[in-house]
């Protein structure tokens, strides 16, 4: 069976992150009838895998099997070169149960200071998985490289956006218009691969 999603098909967005959902909806460009995990009252699964790809597949599978509909999940995070890729898959967990990203960003800065490193290289990764109920699944990954900026700048976006300046840009993701971030982000790059595999 070819893995395809027809335009207008129902698709569950398997995320509980209010920052991600509008980005994903914009990248899908009205192509599907989107139902969020929240609307369906689906619980948030524990992210027990050790890679972005593994956790994206886990979240998509969880939502698809429980809803009986194809589901799309994103697992993503910020990786800092001088911190050996941390926080990486633990990016959301660094913000704690209250999802406090001011503290999480402060943590990144503090750890860099403790390392005594002035290397500010970092990257965002997004793994996007689509799973069919009790059926197959597909996963792709996108990445954007950049530099960390302290103090953070801008109030747009979500998570670590204020401290991340993508390569070749002068604004952080937190300062950019949503459409400008969507043109170059890790999520957009993963989406380009997903669209090529699934929709075109
Ligand atoms: P779901 O699993 O419900 O989708 P989550 O926030 O737990 O929500 P992740 O486990 O994938 O999602 O955590 C990703 C974290 O990485 C997210 O909370 C952000 O802090 C950060 N992150 C990912 N993409 C980002 C982006 O585009 N801009 C800023 N921070 C981002």
């Amino acid at each position: 069976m070819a893995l395809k999603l027809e335009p207008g098909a129902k698709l569950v967005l398997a995320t509980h992150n209010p920052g991600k959902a509008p980005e994903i909806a914009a990248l899908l460009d009205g192509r599907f009838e989107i139902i969020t995990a929240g609307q369906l009252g689906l619980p948030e699964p524990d992210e027990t895998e050790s890679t972005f790809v593994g956790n994206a597949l886990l979240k998509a599978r969880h939502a698809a099997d429980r809803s009986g509909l194809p589901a799309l999940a994103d697992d993503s995070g910020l990786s800092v070169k001088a911190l050996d890729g941390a926080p990486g898959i633990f990016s959301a967990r660094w913000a704690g149960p209250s999802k406090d990203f001011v503290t999480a960003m402060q943590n990144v800065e503090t750890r860099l200071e403790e390392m005594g490193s002035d290397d500010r290289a970092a990257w965002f990764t997004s793994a996007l998985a689509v799973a069919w109920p009790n059926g197959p699944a597909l996963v792709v990954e996108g990445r954007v490289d950049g530099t960390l900026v302290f103090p953070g700048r801008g109030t747009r976006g979500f998570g670590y956006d204020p401290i991340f300046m993508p390569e070749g840009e002068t604004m952080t993701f937190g300062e950019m218009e949503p459409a400008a971030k969507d043109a170059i982000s890790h999520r957009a790059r993963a989406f380009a691969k997903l669209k090529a595999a699934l929709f075109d």
Side-chain angles (χ1 to χ4, degrees):
M1 182 187 91
L3 296 180
K4 291 282 170 200
L5 276 178
E6 297 305 324
K10 284 186 179 169
L11 179 65
V12 176
L13 219 54
T15 177
H16 291 80
N17 180 326
K20 267 186 204 175
E23 279 192 20
I24 294 176
L27 289 162
L28 285 171
D29 205 17
R31 192 185 281 257
F32 304 108
E33 187 184 327
I34 291 174
I35 308 161
T36 64
Q39 283 169 332
L40 291 171
L42 295 178
E44 222 175 320
D46 286 337
E47 297 182 17
T48 50
E49 295 292 330
S50 57
T51 60
F52 292 113
V53 161
N55 281 325
L57 282 168
L58 177 154
K59 288 188 268 189
R61 163 72 43 226
H62 183 266
D65 291 353
R66 277 161 190 76
S67 66
L69 292 167
L72 169 65
D74 162 290
D75 198 65
S76 47
L78 176 74
S79 298
V80 180
K81 187 173 166 207
L83 301 181
D84 289 330
I89 63 160
F90 301 106
S91 293
R93 282 164 267 188
W94 275 31
S98 62
K99 309 205 169 168
D100 174 3
F101 283 97
V102 173
T103 303
M105 290 188 281
Q106 179 63 56
N107 234 332
V108 174
E109 187 177 15
T110 304
R111 294 208 191 188
L112 276 170
E113 279 165 10
E114 284 167 3
M115 294 287 293
S117 171
D118 52 15
D119 185 349
R120 294 289 177 265
W123 63 95
F124 272 121
T125 304
S126 163
L128 291 172
V130 176
W132 281 258
N134 305 111
L138 179 140
V139 64
V140 294
E141 208 173 55
R143 165 175 168 159
V144 60
D145 285 89
T147 306
L148 296 177
V149 176
F150 299 106
R153 301 195 317 239
T155 53
R156 292 184 159 121
F158 66 97
Y160 299 86
D161 278 341
I163 60 168
F164 184 82
M165 189 161 70
E167 243 170 27
E169 302 289 333
T170 54
M171 282 193 276
T172 68
F173 271 168
E175 293 174 302
M176 286 183 179
E177 296 280 350
K181 178 183 173 189
D182 288 349
I184 58 171
S185 76
H186 47 312
R187 198 160 288 108
R189 288 176 179 172
F191 250 94
K193 293 184 192 172
L194 194 71
K195 283 181 179 164
L198 269 185
F199 313 155
D200 296 339

